[in-house]
Amino acid sequence: MEAVVARLASESAVVVFSVSSCGMCHAVKRLLRGLGASPAVHELDEDPRGREIERALAGIAGRRRSGPAPVVPAVFIGGAYVGPMEAVMSLHIGGRLVPMLRSAGAIWL
């Protein structure tokens, strides 16, 4: 299933794996859209493979961090796993998110 996640993550400049009732997921999608990006969103609670994708994301997130990592939102930019909400916010606050979005072709200005 990690191959499926990798394929989905590379189909758009910005990809968000989400759950439709998740407040943090909503916030990260709103932030990305507010910056001018149009993320491809995969709502795991609406996908028949959602549980399998969620397990694959947990593996990907776990390899990037020590300790338990949140599974959603899972943000990919330019096909690379960025992380959950806290990672995206850290990039944004540090002024690194917009250049990353530009580099991936997600925004132009």
Side-chain angles (χ1 to χ4, degrees):
M1 189 52 65
E2 286 189 22
V4 171
V5 170
R7 180 181 53 78
L8 292 171
S10 66
E11 289 180 344
S12 185
V14 181
V15 177
V16 178
F17 291 91
S18 174
V19 172
S20 58
S21 61
C22 168
M24 297 251 243
C25 297
H26 176 74
V28 80
K29 291 181 285 190
R30 189 171 174 110
L31 169 66
L32 292 166
R33 289 180 180 128
L35 293 172
S38 296
V41 177
H42 298 279
E43 299 291 357
L44 299 183
D45 56 328
E46 298 173 4
D47 188 321
R49 305 168 299 175
R51 292 271 186 210
E52 295 172 62
I53 292 171
E54 192 172 351
R55 281 192 291 278
L57 289 169
I60 292 167
R63 284 193 294 275
R64 285 281 307 265
R65 301 172 43 151
S66 60
V71 174
V72 293
V75 179
F76 290 77
I77 298 176
Y81 178 66
V82 172
M85 178 70 170
E86 68 181 43
V88 175
M89 288 305 296
S90 178
L91 288 169
H92 183 51
I93 291 167
R96 298 182 312 274
L97 181 59
V98 168
M100 186 181 282
L101 292 169
R102 276 193 200 116
S103 178
I107 60 175
W108 307 106
L109 301 174

Coordinates of all heavy atoms in Angstrom, one line a residue:
M1 N 0.8 -1.2 0.0 CA 0.0 0.0 0.0 C 0.9 1.3 0.0 O 0.4 2.3 -0.4 CB -0.9 0.0 1.2 CG -2.0 1.0 1.2 SD -3.0 1.3 -0.2 CE -4.0 -0.2 -0.3
E2 N 2.1 1.2 0.5 CA 3.0 2.3 0.5 C 3.3 2.8 -1.0 O 3.4 4.0 -1.2 CB 4.3 2.1 1.2 CG 4.0 2.1 2.7 CD 5.3 2.1 3.6 OE1 6.3 2.5 3.0 OE2 5.2 1.7 4.7
A3 N 3.3 1.8 -1.9 CA 3.4 2.2 -3.3 C 2.2 3.0 -3.8 O 2.4 4.0 -4.6 CB 3.6 1.0 -4.2
V4 N 1.0 2.7 -3.4 CA -0.2 3.4 -3.7 C -0.1 4.8 -3.2 O -0.4 5.8 -3.8 CB -1.4 2.7 -3.2 CG1 -2.7 3.5 -3.4 CG2 -1.6 1.3 -3.9
V5 N 0.3 4.9 -1.9 CA 0.5 6.3 -1.3 C 1.5 7.1 -2.1 O 1.3 8.3 -2.4 CB 0.9 6.1 0.2 CG1 1.3 7.5 0.8 CG2 -0.3 5.5 1.0
A6 N 2.6 6.5 -2.4 CA 3.7 7.2 -3.2 C 3.1 7.7 -4.5 O 3.4 8.8 -4.9 CB 4.9 6.3 -3.3
R7 N 2.4 6.8 -5.2 CA 1.8 7.2 -6.5 C 0.8 8.4 -6.3 O 0.9 9.4 -7.0 CB 1.1 6.0 -7.1 CG 0.5 6.4 -8.5 CD -0.3 5.2 -9.1 NE -1.2 4.6 -8.3 CZ -2.5 5.0 -8.0 NH1 -2.8 6.2 -8.6 NH2 -3.3 4.4 -7.3
L8 N -0.1 8.3 -5.3 CA -1.1 9.3 -5.1 C -0.4 10.6 -4.7 O -0.7 11.7 -5.1 CB -2.0 8.9 -4.0 CG -3.0 7.8 -4.3 CD1 -3.8 7.4 -3.1 CD2 -4.0 8.2 -5.4
A9 N 0.7 10.5 -3.9 CA 1.4 11.7 -3.4 C 2.2 12.4 -4.5 O 2.5 13.6 -4.4 CB 2.4 11.3 -2.3
S10 N 2.5 11.7 -5.6 CA 3.2 12.3 -6.7 C 2.3 12.8 -7.8 O 2.8 13.3 -8.8 CB 4.3 11.3 -7.2 OG 3.6 10.2 -7.8
E11 N 1.0 12.6 -7.7 CA 0.1 13.0 -8.8 C -0.2 14.4 -8.8 O -0.8 14.9 -9.8 CB -1.2 12.1 -8.7 CG -1.0 10.7 -9.1 CD -2.2 9.9 -9.1 OE1 -3.2 10.3 -8.4 OE2 -2.2 8.8 -9.6
S12 N 0.2 15.2 -7.8 CA -0.1 16.6 -7.7 C 1.0 17.3 -7.0 O 1.7 16.6 -6.2 CB -1.4 16.8 -7.0 OG -1.8 18.2 -7.0
A13 N 1.2 18.6 -7.2 CA 2.3 19.3 -6.5 C 2.1 19.2 -5.0 O 3.1 19.2 -4.2 CB 2.4 20.7 -7.0
V14 N 0.9 19.3 -4.5 CA 0.6 19.3 -3.1 C -0.6 18.2 -2.9 O -1.6 18.3 -3.6 CB 0.1 20.6 -2.5 CG1 -0.2 20.5 -1.0 CG2 1.2 21.7 -2.8
V15 N -0.3 17.3 -2.0 CA -1.3 16.3 -1.7 C -1.5 16.2 -0.2 O -0.6 16.2 0.6 CB -0.8 14.9 -2.2 CG1 -1.8 13.8 -1.8 CG2 -0.6 14.9 -3.7
V16 N -2.8 16.2 0.2 CA -3.1 16.1 1.6 C -4.0 14.8 1.8 O -5.0 14.7 1.2 CB -3.9 17.3 2.1 CG1 -4.3 17.2 3.6 CG2 -3.1 18.6 1.9
F17 N -3.5 14.0 2.7 CA -4.4 12.8 3.1 C -5.1 13.3 4.4 O -4.4 13.8 5.3 CB -3.5 11.6 3.4 CG -3.0 11.0 2.1 CD1 -1.7 11.4 1.7 CD2 -3.7 10.1 1.4 CE1 -1.2 10.9 0.5 CE2 -3.2 9.5 0.2 CZ -1.9 9.9 -0.2
S18 N -6.4 13.2 4.4 CA -7.2 13.8 5.4 C -8.3 12.9 5.9 O -8.6 11.9 5.3 CB -7.8 15.1 4.8 OG -8.7 15.8 5.6
V19 N -9.0 13.4 6.9 CA -10.3 12.8 7.4 C -11.2 14.0 7.4 O -10.9 15.0 8.0 CB -10.1 12.1 8.7 CG1 -11.5 11.7 9.3 CG2 -9.2 10.9 8.6
S20 N -12.4 13.8 6.8 CA -13.3 14.9 6.6 C -13.7 15.6 7.9 O -14.0 16.8 7.9 CB -14.5 14.5 5.8 OG -15.2 13.5 6.4
S21 N -13.7 14.9 9.0 CA -14.2 15.5 10.3 C -13.0 16.0 11.1 O -13.2 16.5 12.3 CB -14.9 14.5 11.1 OG -14.1 13.4 11.4
C22 N -11.8 16.0 10.6 CA -10.6 16.4 11.4 C -10.4 17.9 11.3 O -10.2 18.5 10.2 CB -9.4 15.6 10.8 SG -7.8 16.2 11.4
G23 N -10.4 18.6 12.4 CA -10.1 20.0 12.5 C -8.8 20.4 12.0 O -8.6 21.4 11.3
M24 N -7.7 19.7 12.3 CA -6.4 20.0 11.9 C -6.2 19.8 10.4 O -5.5 20.6 9.7 CB -5.4 19.1 12.6 CG -5.4 19.4 14.1 SD -3.9 20.2 14.6 CE -3.3 19.0 15.7
C25 N -6.9 18.8 9.9 CA -6.9 18.6 8.4 C -7.5 19.8 7.7 O -7.0 20.3 6.7 CB -7.7 17.3 8.1 SG -7.0 15.8 8.7
H26 N -8.7 20.2 8.2 CA -9.3 21.4 7.7 C -8.4 22.6 7.7 O -8.3 23.4 6.7 CB -10.6 21.7 8.4 CG -11.3 22.9 8.0 ND1 -12.0 23.0 6.8 CD2 -11.4 24.1 8.5 CE1 -12.5 24.2 6.6 NE2 -12.2 24.9 7.7
A27 N -7.7 22.8 8.8 CA -6.8 24.0 9.0 C -5.7 23.9 8.0 O -5.3 25.0 7.4 CB -6.3 24.1 10.4
V28 N -5.1 22.8 7.8 CA -3.9 22.7 6.9 C -4.4 22.9 5.4 O -3.7 23.6 4.6 CB -3.1 21.4 7.1 CG1 -3.7 20.2 6.4 CG2 -1.7 21.6 6.6
K29 N -5.5 22.4 5.1 CA -6.1 22.6 3.7 C -6.4 24.0 3.5 O -6.1 24.6 2.4 CB -7.3 21.7 3.5 CG -7.0 20.2 3.4 CD -8.3 19.4 3.2 CE -9.1 19.3 4.4 NZ -10.2 18.3 4.3
R30 N -6.9 24.7 4.5 CA -7.2 26.1 4.4 C -6.0 27.0 4.3 O -5.9 27.9 3.5 CB -8.1 26.5 5.6 CG -8.6 27.9 5.5 CD -9.6 28.2 6.6 NE -10.0 29.5 6.6 CZ -11.2 30.0 6.3 NH1 -12.1 29.1 6.0 NH2 -11.5 31.2 6.3
L31 N -4.9 26.6 5.0 CA -3.7 27.3 4.9 C -3.1 27.2 3.5 O -2.7 28.2 2.9 CB -2.7 26.8 6.0 CG -1.2 27.3 5.8 CD1 -1.1 28.8 6.1 CD2 -0.3 26.5 6.7
L32 N -3.0 26.0 3.0 CA -2.4 25.7 1.7 C -3.2 26.5 0.6 O -2.6 27.1 -0.3 CB -2.4 24.2 1.4 CG -1.4 23.5 2.3 CD1 -1.6 22.0 2.2 CD2 0.1 23.8 1.9
R33 N -4.5 26.4 0.7 CA -5.4 27.1 -0.3 C -5.2 28.7 -0.1 O -5.2 29.4 -1.1 CB -6.8 26.7 -0.1 CG -7.1 25.3 -0.6 CD -8.5 24.9 -0.5 NE -8.7 23.6 -1.0 CZ -9.3 22.6 -0.3 NH1 -9.8 22.8 0.9 NH2 -9.4 21.4 -0.8
G34 N -5.1 29.1 1.1 CA -4.8 30.6 1.3 C -3.5 31.1 0.8 O -3.4 32.2 0.4
L35 N -2.6 30.2 0.6 CA -1.3 30.5 0.0 C -1.3 30.4 -1.5 O -0.3 30.7 -2.1 CB -0.2 29.7 0.6 CG 0.1 29.9 2.1 CD1 1.1 28.8 2.6 CD2 0.7 31.3 2.3
G36 N -2.4 30.0 -2.0 CA -2.6 29.9 -3.5 C -2.4 28.5 -4.0 O -2.5 28.3 -5.3
A37 N -2.2 27.5 -3.2 CA -2.0 26.1 -3.7 C -3.4 25.5 -3.9 O -4.4 25.9 -3.2 CB -1.2 25.3 -2.8
S38 N -3.5 24.5 -4.7 CA -4.7 23.7 -4.9 C -4.4 22.3 -4.6 O -4.1 21.5 -5.5 CB -5.2 23.9 -6.3 OG -5.6 25.2 -6.6
P39 N -4.4 21.9 -3.3 CA -3.9 20.5 -3.0 C -4.9 19.5 -3.5 O -6.1 19.7 -3.5 CB -3.9 20.6 -1.5 CG -4.8 21.6 -1.1 CD -4.7 22.7 -2.1
A40 N -4.4 18.4 -3.9 CA -5.2 17.2 -4.1 C -5.5 16.6 -2.7 O -4.6 16.4 -2.0 CB -4.5 16.2 -5.0
V41 N -6.8 16.4 -2.4 CA -7.1 15.9 -1.1 C -7.7 14.5 -1.2 O -8.6 14.3 -2.0 CB -8.1 16.9 -0.4 CG1 -8.6 16.4 0.9 CG2 -7.5 18.3 -0.3
H42 N -7.2 13.6 -0.4 CA -7.7 12.3 -0.3 C -8.3 12.1 1.1 O -7.6 12.1 2.1 CB -6.6 11.2 -0.5 CG -6.0 11.4 -1.9 ND1 -6.6 10.8 -3.0 CD2 -4.9 12.0 -2.3 CE1 -5.9 11.1 -4.1 NE2 -4.8 11.8 -3.7
E43 N -9.7 12.1 1.2 CA -10.4 11.9 2.4 C -10.4 10.4 2.8 O -11.1 9.7 2.1 CB -11.8 12.5 2.4 CG -11.8 14.0 2.1 CD -11.3 14.9 3.2 OE1 -11.0 14.4 4.3 OE2 -11.3 16.1 3.0
L44 N -9.7 10.0 3.7 CA -9.5 8.6 4.0 C -10.9 8.0 4.5 O -11.1 6.8 4.3 CB -8.4 8.4 5.1 CG -7.0 8.8 4.6 CD1 -6.0 8.5 5.7 CD2 -6.7 8.2 3.3
D45 N -11.7 8.7 5.2 CA -13.0 8.2 5.6 C -14.0 8.0 4.5 O -15.0 7.4 4.7 CB -13.6 9.1 6.7 CG -13.7 10.5 6.3 OD1 -12.9 11.1 5.5 OD2 -14.7 11.2 6.8
E46 N -13.7 8.5 3.3 CA -14.5 8.4 2.2 C -14.0 7.4 1.1 O -14.6 7.2 0.1 CB -14.8 9.8 1.5 CG -15.5 10.7 2.5 CD -15.6 12.1 1.9 OE1 -15.2 12.4 0.8 OE2 -16.1 13.0 2.7
D47 N -12.8 6.9 1.4 CA -12.1 6.0 0.5 C -12.2 4.5 1.0 O -11.9 4.3 2.1 CB -10.6 6.4 0.3 CG -9.9 5.6 -0.7 OD1 -10.1 4.4 -0.9 OD2 -9.0 6.3 -1.4
P48 N -12.7 3.6 0.1 CA -12.8 2.2 0.6 C -11.4 1.6 1.1 O -11.4 0.7 1.9 CB -13.3 1.4 -0.6 CG -13.5 2.4 -1.7 CD -13.1 3.8 -1.2
R49 N -10.3 2.2 0.6 CA -9.0 1.7 1.0 C -8.4 2.6 2.1 O -7.3 2.5 2.5 CB -8.0 1.8 -0.2 CG -8.4 1.1 -1.4 CD -7.6 1.5 -2.6 NE -7.7 2.9 -2.8 CZ -7.0 3.6 -3.7 NH1 -6.1 3.0 -4.5 NH2 -7.2 4.9 -3.9
G50 N -9.3 3.4 2.7 CA -8.8 4.4 3.7 C -8.0 3.8 4.9 O -7.0 4.4 5.2
R51 N -8.5 2.7 5.4 CA -7.8 2.1 6.6 C -6.4 1.6 6.2 O -5.4 1.8 6.9 CB -8.6 0.9 7.1 CG -9.9 1.3 7.8 CD -9.6 1.6 9.3 NE -10.9 1.9 9.9 CZ -11.0 2.6 10.9 NH1 -9.9 3.2 11.5 NH2 -12.2 2.8 11.5
E52 N -6.3 1.0 5.0 CA -5.0 0.5 4.5 C -4.1 1.7 4.2 O -2.9 1.6 4.6 CB -5.2 -0.3 3.2 CG -6.0 -1.6 3.4 CD -6.3 -2.2 2.0 OE1 -5.3 -2.6 1.4 OE2 -7.4 -2.3 1.7
I53 N -4.6 2.8 3.6 CA -3.8 3.9 3.4 C -3.3 4.6 4.7 O -2.2 5.0 4.8 CB -4.6 5.0 2.5 CG1 -4.8 4.4 1.1 CG2 -3.8 6.3 2.5 CD1 -5.7 5.2 0.2
E54 N -4.2 4.6 5.6 CA -3.9 5.1 7.0 C -2.7 4.3 7.6 O -1.8 4.9 8.2 CB -5.1 5.1 7.9 CG -5.0 5.9 9.1 CD -6.3 6.0 9.9 OE1 -7.3 5.6 9.4 OE2 -6.2 6.5 11.0
R55 N -2.8 3.0 7.5 CA -1.7 2.2 8.1 C -0.3 2.5 7.3 O 0.7 2.6 7.9 CB -2.0 0.7 8.0 CG -3.0 0.3 9.1 CD -3.0 -1.3 9.2 NE -3.7 -1.8 8.0 CZ -5.1 -1.9 7.9 NH1 -5.9 -1.5 8.8 NH2 -5.6 -2.5 6.8
A56 N -0.4 2.6 6.0 CA 0.8 3.0 5.2 C 1.3 4.3 5.6 O 2.6 4.5 5.8 CB 0.5 2.9 3.7
L57 N 0.4 5.3 5.8 CA 0.9 6.6 6.3 C 1.5 6.6 7.6 O 2.5 7.3 7.9 CB -0.3 7.6 6.2 CG -0.8 8.0 4.9 CD1 -2.1 8.8 5.0 CD2 0.2 8.9 4.2
A58 N 1.0 5.8 8.5 CA 1.5 5.6 9.9 C 3.0 5.1 9.8 O 3.9 5.6 10.5 CB 0.7 4.7 10.7
G59 N 3.2 4.2 8.9 CA 4.6 3.7 8.7 C 5.5 4.8 8.1 O 6.6 4.9 8.6
I60 N 5.0 5.5 7.2 CA 5.8 6.6 6.6 C 6.1 7.7 7.7 O 7.2 8.1 7.8 CB 5.1 7.3 5.4 CG1 5.0 6.3 4.3 CG2 5.8 8.6 5.0 CD1 4.1 6.6 3.1
A61 N 5.1 8.1 8.4 CA 5.3 9.1 9.5 C 6.2 8.6 10.6 O 7.0 9.3 11.1 CB 3.9 9.5 10.1
G62 N 6.1 7.3 10.9 CA 6.9 6.8 12.0 C 8.3 6.7 11.6 O 9.2 6.8 12.5
R63 N 8.7 6.5 10.4 CA 10.1 6.5 9.9 C 10.7 7.9 10.0 O 11.9 8.1 10.1 CB 10.2 5.9 8.5 CG 10.0 4.4 8.5 CD 10.4 3.9 7.2 NE 9.6 4.3 6.1 CZ 8.4 3.7 5.8 NH1 8.0 2.6 6.5 NH2 7.7 4.1 4.8
R64 N 9.8 8.9 9.9 CA 10.3 10.3 9.9 C 10.5 10.9 11.3 O 11.2 11.9 11.5 CB 9.4 11.2 9.1 CG 9.4 11.1 7.6 CD 10.5 11.9 7.0 NE 10.6 13.2 7.4 CZ 10.1 14.3 6.8 NH1 9.5 14.1 5.7 NH2 10.2 15.5 7.2
R65 N 9.9 10.3 12.3 CA 10.0 10.8 13.7 C 10.1 9.7 14.6 O 9.7 8.5 14.4 CB 8.7 11.5 14.0 CG 8.3 12.6 13.1 CD 6.9 13.1 13.4 NE 6.7 13.2 14.8 CZ 5.8 14.0 15.4 NH1 5.2 14.9 14.7 NH2 5.6 14.1 16.7
S66 N 10.7 10.0 15.8 CA 10.7 9.0 16.8 C 9.4 9.2 17.7 O 8.9 10.3 17.8 CB 11.9 9.2 17.7 OG 11.9 10.5 18.3
G67 N 8.9 8.2 18.2 CA 7.6 8.3 19.0 C 6.4 8.3 18.1 O 6.5 8.2 16.8
P68 N 5.3 8.3 18.7 CA 4.0 8.3 17.9 C 3.9 9.6 17.1 O 4.1 10.6 17.5 CB 2.9 8.1 18.9 CG 3.5 8.6 20.2 CD 5.0 8.4 20.1
A69 N 3.5 9.4 15.8 CA 3.3 10.5 14.9 C 1.8 10.5 14.5 O 1.2 9.5 14.2 CB 4.2 10.4 13.7
P70 N 1.2 11.7 14.4 CA -0.2 11.8 13.9 C -0.2 11.3 12.4 O 0.7 11.6 11.7 CB -0.6 13.2 14.0 CG 0.7 14.0 14.4 CD 1.7 13.0 14.7
V71 N -1.3 10.6 12.1 CA -1.4 10.1 10.7 C -2.0 11.1 9.8 O -1.5 11.3 8.7 CB -2.2 8.8 10.7 CG1 -2.5 8.3 9.3 CG2 -1.6 7.7 11.6
V72 N -3.0 11.8 10.2 CA -3.6 12.9 9.4 C -3.6 14.2 10.1 O -3.7 14.2 11.4 CB -5.0 12.5 8.9 CG1 -5.0 11.3 8.0 CG2 -6.0 12.3 10.1
P73 N -3.5 15.3 9.5 CA -3.2 15.4 8.0 C -1.8 14.9 7.7 O -0.9 15.2 8.5 CB -3.4 16.9 7.7 CG -3.1 17.6 9.0 CD -3.5 16.6 10.1
A74 N -1.7 14.3 6.6 CA -0.4 13.9 6.0 C -0.2 14.7 4.8 O -0.9 14.6 3.8 CB -0.3 12.4 5.8
V75 N 0.8 15.6 4.8 CA 1.0 16.5 3.7 C 2.3 16.1 2.9 O 3.3 15.9 3.5 CB 1.2 18.0 4.2 CG1 1.4 18.9 3.0 CG2 -0.1 18.4 5.0
F76 N 2.1 16.1 1.6 CA 3.2 15.8 0.6 C 3.3 17.0 -0.3 O 2.3 17.5 -0.8 CB 2.9 14.5 -0.2 CG 2.9 13.2 0.6 CD1 1.9 12.9 1.4 CD2 4.0 12.4 0.5 CE1 1.9 11.7 2.1 CE2 4.1 11.2 1.2 CZ 3.0 10.9 2.0
I77 N 4.5 17.4 -0.5 CA 4.8 18.5 -1.4 C 5.9 18.1 -2.4 O 6.9 17.6 -1.9 CB 5.2 19.8 -0.7 CG1 4.1 20.3 0.2 CG2 5.6 20.9 -1.7 CD1 4.5 21.5 1.1
G78 N 5.6 18.2 -3.7 CA 6.5 17.7 -4.7 C 6.8 16.2 -4.5 O 7.9 15.7 -4.8
G79 N 5.8 15.4 -4.1 CA 6.0 14.0 -3.9 C 6.7 13.6 -2.6 O 6.7 12.4 -2.3
A80 N 7.2 14.5 -1.9 CA 7.9 14.2 -0.6 C 7.1 14.4 0.6 O 6.3 15.4 0.7 CB 9.2 15.0 -0.5
Y81 N 7.2 13.5 1.5 CA 6.4 13.6 2.8 C 6.9 14.8 3.6 O 8.1 14.9 3.9 CB 6.5 12.3 3.6 CG 5.8 12.4 4.9 CD1 4.4 12.5 5.0 CD2 6.5 12.3 6.1 CE1 3.7 12.6 6.2 CE2 5.8 12.4 7.3 CZ 4.4 12.5 7.4 OH 3.8 12.5 8.6
V82 N 6.1 15.8 3.9 CA 6.4 16.9 4.7 C 6.1 16.6 6.2 O 6.9 17.0 7.0 CB 5.7 18.2 4.2 CG1 5.9 19.3 5.2 CG2 6.1 18.5 2.8
G83 N 4.9 16.1 6.4 CA 4.6 15.7 7.8 C 3.1 16.1 8.1 O 2.4 16.5 7.2
P84 N 2.8 16.2 9.4 CA 1.5 16.5 9.8 C 1.4 18.1 10.0 O 2.3 18.8 9.6 CB 1.4 15.8 11.2 CG 2.8 15.8 11.7 CD 3.6 15.6 10.5
M85 N 0.3 18.5 10.5 CA 0.1 20.0 10.7 C 1.2 20.7 11.4 O 1.6 21.8 10.9 CB -1.2 20.1 11.6 CG -1.6 21.5 11.9 SD -2.1 22.4 10.4 CE -2.8 23.8 11.0
E86 N 1.8 20.1 12.4 CA 2.9 20.9 13.1 C 4.1 21.1 12.2 O 4.7 22.1 12.3 CB 3.3 20.1 14.4 CG 4.0 18.8 14.2 CD 4.4 18.1 15.4 OE1 3.5 18.1 16.4 OE2 5.5 17.5 15.5
A87 N 4.4 20.1 11.4 CA 5.5 20.3 10.4 C 5.2 21.4 9.4 O 6.1 22.2 9.1 CB 5.8 19.0 9.7
V88 N 4.0 21.4 8.9 CA 3.6 22.4 7.9 C 3.6 23.8 8.5 O 4.2 24.7 8.0 CB 2.2 22.1 7.3 CG1 1.8 23.2 6.4 CG2 2.3 20.8 6.5
M89 N 3.1 23.9 9.7 CA 3.1 25.2 10.4 C 4.5 25.7 10.8 O 4.8 26.8 10.6 CB 2.3 25.1 11.7 CG 0.8 25.0 11.5 SD 0.1 26.4 10.4 CE 0.5 27.8 11.5
S90 N 5.4 24.7 11.1 CA 6.8 25.1 11.4 C 7.5 25.7 10.2 O 8.2 26.7 10.2 CB 7.5 23.9 11.9 OG 8.9 24.2 12.2
L91 N 7.2 25.0 9.0 CA 7.8 25.5 7.7 C 7.2 26.9 7.4 O 7.9 27.8 7.0 CB 7.4 24.5 6.6 CG 8.2 23.2 6.6 CD1 7.5 22.3 5.6 CD2 9.6 23.4 6.3
H92 N 5.9 27.1 7.6 CA 5.2 28.4 7.3 C 5.8 29.5 8.2 O 6.2 30.5 7.8 CB 3.7 28.2 7.5 CG 3.0 29.4 7.2 ND1 3.1 30.1 6.0 CD2 2.0 30.1 7.8 CE1 2.3 31.1 5.9 NE2 1.6 31.2 7.1
I93 N 5.9 29.2 9.5 CA 6.4 30.2 10.5 C 7.8 30.6 10.2 O 8.2 31.7 10.3 CB 6.1 29.7 11.9 CG1 4.7 29.7 12.2 CG2 6.9 30.6 12.9 CD1 4.3 29.0 13.5
G94 N 8.6 29.5 9.8 CA 10.0 29.8 9.5 C 10.2 30.3 8.1 O 11.4 30.5 7.7
G95 N 9.2 30.6 7.3 CA 9.3 31.2 6.0 C 9.8 30.2 4.9 O 10.2 30.7 3.8
R96 N 9.7 28.9 5.2 CA 10.2 27.9 4.2 C 9.1 27.3 3.4 O 9.3 26.6 2.4 CB 11.0 26.9 4.9 CG 12.3 27.5 5.6 CD 13.1 26.5 6.3 NE 12.4 25.5 7.2 CZ 12.1 25.7 8.4 NH1 12.5 26.9 9.0 NH2 11.5 24.8 9.2
L97 N 7.8 27.4 3.8 CA 6.7 26.8 3.1 C 6.5 27.3 1.8 O 6.4 26.6 0.8 CB 5.4 26.8 4.0 CG 4.2 26.1 3.4 CD1 4.5 24.6 3.1 CD2 3.0 26.3 4.3
V98 N 6.4 28.6 1.6 CA 6.1 29.3 0.3 C 7.2 28.9 -0.7 O 6.9 28.5 -1.8 CB 5.9 30.8 0.5 CG1 5.9 31.5 -0.9 CG2 4.6 31.1 1.2
P99 N 8.5 29.0 -0.3 CA 9.5 28.6 -1.3 C 9.4 27.1 -1.7 O 9.6 26.8 -2.9 CB 10.8 28.9 -0.6 CG 10.5 29.9 0.4 CD 9.1 29.7 0.8
M100 N 9.0 26.3 -0.8 CA 8.8 24.9 -1.0 C 7.7 24.7 -2.0 O 7.8 23.9 -3.0 CB 8.6 24.1 0.3 CG 8.5 22.6 0.1 SD 8.2 21.8 1.7 CE 9.8 21.8 2.4
L101 N 6.6 25.4 -1.8 CA 5.4 25.3 -2.7 C 5.8 25.9 -4.1 O 5.4 25.3 -5.1 CB 4.2 26.1 -2.2 CG 3.6 25.5 -0.9 CD1 2.6 26.5 -0.3 CD2 2.9 24.2 -1.2
R102 N 6.6 26.9 -4.2 CA 7.0 27.5 -5.5 C 7.9 26.4 -6.2 O 7.7 26.2 -7.4 CB 7.8 28.7 -5.3 CG 7.0 30.0 -5.1 CD 7.9 31.2 -5.2 NE 7.2 32.3 -4.6 CZ 7.6 33.0 -3.6 NH1 8.7 32.7 -3.0 NH2 6.8 34.0 -3.1
S103 N 8.8 25.9 -5.5 CA 9.7 24.9 -6.1 C 9.0 23.7 -6.6 O 9.4 23.1 -7.6 CB 10.8 24.4 -5.0 OG 11.6 23.5 -5.5
A104 N 7.9 23.3 -6.0 CA 7.1 22.1 -6.4 C 6.2 22.5 -7.6 O 5.6 21.6 -8.1 CB 6.3 21.6 -5.3
G105 N 6.1 23.8 -7.9 CA 5.2 24.3 -8.9 C 3.7 24.4 -8.5 O 2.8 24.4 -9.3
A106 N 3.5 24.4 -7.1 CA 2.2 24.5 -6.6 C 1.7 26.0 -6.6 O 0.4 26.2 -6.7 CB 2.1 24.0 -5.1
I107 N 2.5 26.9 -6.5 CA 2.2 28.3 -6.6 C 3.2 29.0 -7.5 O 4.3 28.6 -7.7 CB 2.1 29.0 -5.2 CG1 3.5 29.0 -4.5 CG2 1.0 28.4 -4.4 CD1 3.5 29.7 -3.2
W108 N 2.8 30.2 -8.0 CA 3.7 30.9 -9.0 C 4.2 32.2 -8.4 O 5.3 32.6 -8.9 CB 2.9 31.2 -10.3 CG 2.2 29.9 -10.8 CD1 0.9 29.6 -10.8 CD2 2.9 28.8 -11.4 NE1 0.7 28.4 -11.4 CE2 1.9 27.9 -11.7 CE3 4.2 28.5 -11.7 CZ2 2.2 26.7 -12.3 CZ3 4.5 27.3 -12.3 CH2 3.5 26.4 -12.6
L109 N 3.5 32.8 -7.6 CA 4.0 34.1 -7.1 C 4.6 34.0 -5.7 O 4.4 33.2 -4.9 CB 2.8 35.1 -7.0 CG 2.1 35.3 -8.3 CD1 0.8 36.2 -8.0 CD2 3.0 36.0 -9.3

